[in-house]
Amino acid sequence: MIELLHEQYESDGSTVLFRCAECGYISLSLGSLHGHIERHRGYTRFNIQVPLTKTAMAKRNALMERTEVLRVDETSEISLEEVEGL
């Protein structure tokens, strides 16, 4: 998936990743992860988000409760062939 607005965060000079607490999906982008988390909750059987309900989109506290923050402390170099999806 191509992200239109790339965002990247650091903690003490190390890259930060965000992980979905429900399924383990990982992203560099907090916004992208929150978009992913929205798919886990609040949709009708027709895949329609119902507005103005407790499951309505953009409830920051609910999204942050489902967000784990990881700091990358160690890295190792790999070949381009080892990267999935390229």
Side-chain angles (χ1 to χ4, degrees):
M1 178 167 105
I2 297 175
E3 295 182 39
L4 297 177
L5 300 174
H6 177 72
E7 52 185 310
Q8 185 171 324
Y9 299 93
E10 292 183 356
S11 173
D12 295 329
S14 297
T15 300
V16 171
L17 301 175
F18 302 97
R19 179 171 58 195
C20 175
E22 294 184 46
C23 72
Y25 174 82
I26 295 176
S27 179
L28 277 171
S29 165
L30 182 61
S32 176
L33 179 74
H34 285 175
H36 164 85
I37 290 172
E38 289 289 354
R39 291 188 233 150
H40 285 298
R41 56 185 208 94
Y43 289 91
T44 68
R45 66 184 180 146
F46 301 109
N47 205 27
I48 299 170
Q49 180 75 38
V50 180
L52 306 174
T53 65
K54 69 178 185 170
T55 60
M57 295 175 70
K59 299 242 178 185
R60 185 180 189 282
N61 291 340
L63 293 170
M64 291 308 291
E65 287 174 6
R66 293 171 171 87
T67 301
E68 298 173 343
V69 183
L70 310 170
R71 180 176 47 229
V72 179
D73 291 321
E74 293 185 33
T75 60
S76 59
E77 190 171 335
I78 62 172
S79 68
L80 191 57
E81 290 79 26
E82 295 178 78
V83 178
E84 294 179 25
L86 287 181

